[in-house]
Amino acid sequence: MIILDTCILRGCGLGSSSADLLRTIRGSGIQRVAVPWVVMEELAAQHAVKYEKQYESAAAVLESLRKLTPWSGVPELRECDLDRVREHWRREYGSIVDVIPTSEEALREAAFREANGLAPSKIASSGSKSVKTGYRDVAIWMSAIEYGRQHPQETVYFVSSNTEDFGDGTSYRHPMSNDVVGLGSRFVHLTSLDQVVSRFTHPAEVDDQRVQAALARSTSLIAKAAFEDDDMAKSLRSGGFECILARRHLLSAEELAGRALAWVRPPDGVEVGTLRDVNVYRIGNREWFIATVRWHLAGPAVLEPGEDFVRWRSHDETATIGCSWETRVLCTLDEEDSRLVVLRSSAPQALSPEEFGRLSADDTMTVDSIQYALERVLHAGVRENSPQGIQWQMLVPKQGASYLESLLAEARQQYRTGRPSLVWEQQG
């Protein structure tokens, strides 16, 4: 188990190559990567505090503008939802690390050591006063120590660049020296992320043909990821994602650019577009590569009508769409065991008509698949727009696809307003 201190995770940046390597180590399964609960909460709190300060500044500016404006219409800020900010950052950092508990005993020990200035806490001078610091440092340290004691078959790699308080691992101040007694070589103290990378990964030669073949084997995996991915959900909550629509008629075909709210099912038209920034690593006895890949996707989706879609009637509000999706992926080169993990991704963009024309997708949609897509739309709208505590219910209709289609407009309206009043009753 690799256990990171706050300074390591905060310093590497969520979109950095260092973060990608942590995701690689974690995704490979050779080592778990985690932070103590107190670290995750400290990181989330830091972002929430910054957000609150900016919110207060923005509110003050708007209030000043409102007083000087001789007409109405000055926008108002939504309520400052710090819980939502904290939860967002917990999810973001959760893409890199797991969370291990910080026990009540660890928190009690942290309070005791800070009160007494015992390592890794300390008593510092501030002018004429003495200041006791290090409560969280003790809680982090004790979380790592407790994990090592509770998992005697594992080696704990504790990583912190805070050598002033934690030391460099060659020796420890009392009572930290007593904490590691009995752990021996199972407790390894590292002071940088570079030491983690050099210990667990080894660069390997890039073979373009093997990389392309591995990606070609992974199209079903990327389709599933696109259907379930959190970044797709983010696009959904912000009004959908850009796409191109091909509406086939008897004698002509017309492509339109627009937005889709949700895939009805995993897209079945998938191909690799462009590929860049490829790095290959050997981790354990397996080779993995990290690459930025632009995928071309086509499949049925629920649409968000814009000006270009006004002409279509309600029964045309589900259709086959095409988009490109740029991802940073971790993938194996093993032909017998294909694995792919999306490390991070960008919002989907519309394909060109030429790119879309090269893809073939089954446009068959069932009642259940449309139902599931609409559930995702409503869930996203409720989470984004509704106050906490609002509940909604949707039961699978039995009347058939035409009944579903007649409700699409109302579902989209609820998605926009965040008023989840719709209840579909099961009949028959």
Side-chain angles (χ1 to χ4, degrees):
M1 168 71 83
I2 299 170
I3 299 178
L4 306 177
D5 186 15
T6 310
C7 54
I8 296 294
L9 199 52
R10 182 179 57 217
C12 73
L14 287 166
S16 67
S17 58
S18 297
D20 281 347
L21 284 169
L22 285 175
R23 294 183 180 102
T24 301
I25 293 169
R26 181 192 185 194
S28 70
I30 192 170
Q31 288 288 332
R32 289 180 62 196
V33 182
V35 295
W37 172 85
V38 68
V39 167
M40 183 63 81
E41 292 308 306
E42 183 177 359
L43 290 166
Q46 289 170 353
H47 286 286
V49 168
K50 291 178 183 177
Y51 178 86
E52 186 176 29
K53 289 181 179 179
Q54 291 299 318
Y55 181 95
E56 290 173 350
S57 297
V61 169
L62 286 175
E63 180 60 26
S64 297
L65 180 62
R66 190 173 293 108
K67 291 177 180 178
L68 295 173
T69 302
W71 51 78
S72 61
V74 176
E76 293 190 11
L77 291 175
R78 289 184 179 181
E79 182 182 354
C80 184
D81 190 347
L82 296 180
D83 285 339
R84 183 178 172 190
V85 173
R86 285 187 282 266
E87 184 56 34
H88 168 84
W89 289 106
R90 291 184 191 114
R91 287 196 304 269
E92 290 294 309
Y93 287 113
S95 71
I96 303 176
V97 295
D98 298 323
V99 177
I100 61 171
T102 299
S103 69
E104 180 182 350
E105 183 178 348
L107 294 172
R108 287 178 179 275
E109 183 68 13
F112 174 80
R113 291 197 188 185
E114 184 190 48
N116 289 275
L118 300 174
S121 65
K122 60 187 177 185
I123 300 176
S125 297
S126 178
S128 60
K129 295 182 178 181
S130 294
V131 179
K132 299 173 181 179
T133 63
Y135 176 89
R136 288 191 297 273
D137 286 341
V138 179
I140 293 165
W141 171 259
M142 293 308 302
S143 297
I145 293 296
E146 284 183 352
Y147 185 90
R149 290 172 179 167
Q150 293 167 4
H151 298 81
Q153 305 305 315
E154 296 186 40
T155 297
V156 171
Y157 298 90
F158 177 68
V159 190
S160 176
S161 59
N162 181 6
T163 56
E164 180 180 351
D165 295 321
F166 290 116
D168 60 7
T170 58
S171 62
Y172 296 107
R173 292 181 291 152
H174 179 79
M176 293 173 68
S177 55
N178 291 340
D179 297 332
V180 297
V181 170
L183 295 177
S185 60
R186 290 197 306 107
F187 191 87
V188 179
H189 188 148
L190 305 176
T191 57
S192 71
L193 203 52
D194 288 344
Q195 292 179 346
V196 176
V197 172
S198 62
R199 182 179 287 264
F200 294 107
T201 69
H202 304 281
E205 185 177 348
V206 176
D207 184 327
D208 290 337
Q209 290 185 340
R210 290 183 68 199
V211 169
Q212 288 283 358
L215 292 173
R217 291 192 299 268
S218 303
T219 54
S220 62
L221 300 176
I222 204 67
K224 184 175 184 293
F227 186 59
E228 300 174 349
D229 187 76
D230 284 343
D231 283 320
M232 286 285 191
K234 291 175 191 174
S235 296
L236 173 58
R237 292 195 293 272
S238 62
F241 55 88
E242 295 180 7
C243 67
I244 185 171
L245 165 69
R247 183 61 186 169
R248 307 297 181 189
H249 296 285
L250 291 177
L251 298 176
S252 66
E254 187 176 12
E255 284 85 8
L256 296 172
R259 301 184 73 83
L261 289 181
W263 296 103
V264 170
R265 53 179 167 74
D268 46 18
V270 183
E271 71 173 16
V272 178
T274 57
L275 177 67
R276 59 184 173 85
D277 301 334
V278 182
N279 296 288
V280 180
Y281 299 93
R282 178 170 289 278
I283 305 175
N285 59 357
R286 190 187 299 271
E287 283 186 320
W288 297 76
F289 69 89
I290 301 177
T292 299
V293 186
R294 182 176 181 261
W295 303 89
H296 297 172
L297 308 175
V302 174
L303 306 179
E304 169 59 78
E307 293 182 2
D308 292 333
F309 284 145
V310 169
R311 74 191 71 180
W312 305 120
R313 298 178 181 177
S314 62
H315 63 273
D316 293 314
E317 291 160 354
T318 57
T320 297
I321 60 110
C323 70
S324 68
W325 189 35
E326 186 169 277
T327 63
R328 188 71 172 159
V329 299
L330 167 67
C331 188
T332 61
L333 287 170
D334 192 339
E335 296 182 12
E336 304 299 326
D337 185 16
S338 295
R339 302 186 195 178
L340 180 142
V341 178
V342 176
L343 302 177
R344 61 181 187 273
S345 62
S346 302
Q349 304 293 319
L351 288 174
S352 68
E354 294 76 21
E355 292 169 331
F356 192 26
R358 292 196 297 268
L359 296 174
S360 60
D362 180 5
D363 60 1
T364 303
M365 286 175 268
T366 66
V367 171
D368 287 343
S369 64
I370 297 174
Q371 164 77 17
Y372 182 75
L374 290 176
E375 286 183 0
R376 296 184 73 196
V377 172
L378 288 171
H379 267 302
V382 170
R383 283 199 303 269
E384 183 70 10
N385 300 312
S386 297
Q388 290 184 346
I390 287 184
Q391 302 293 323
W392 61 274
Q393 179 182 15
M394 184 188 294
L395 301 177
V396 177
K398 298 299 183 181
Q399 292 88 341
S402 61
Y403 180 73
L404 280 173
E405 289 164 357
S406 69
L407 294 172
L408 276 169
E410 187 172 355
R412 281 200 312 277
Q413 180 62 27
Q414 290 188 54
Y415 165 73
R416 293 191 191 99
T417 62
R419 296 174 182 171
S421 59
L422 179 63
V423 176
W424 290 355
E425 295 181 355
Q426 182 173 346
Q427 298 180 8

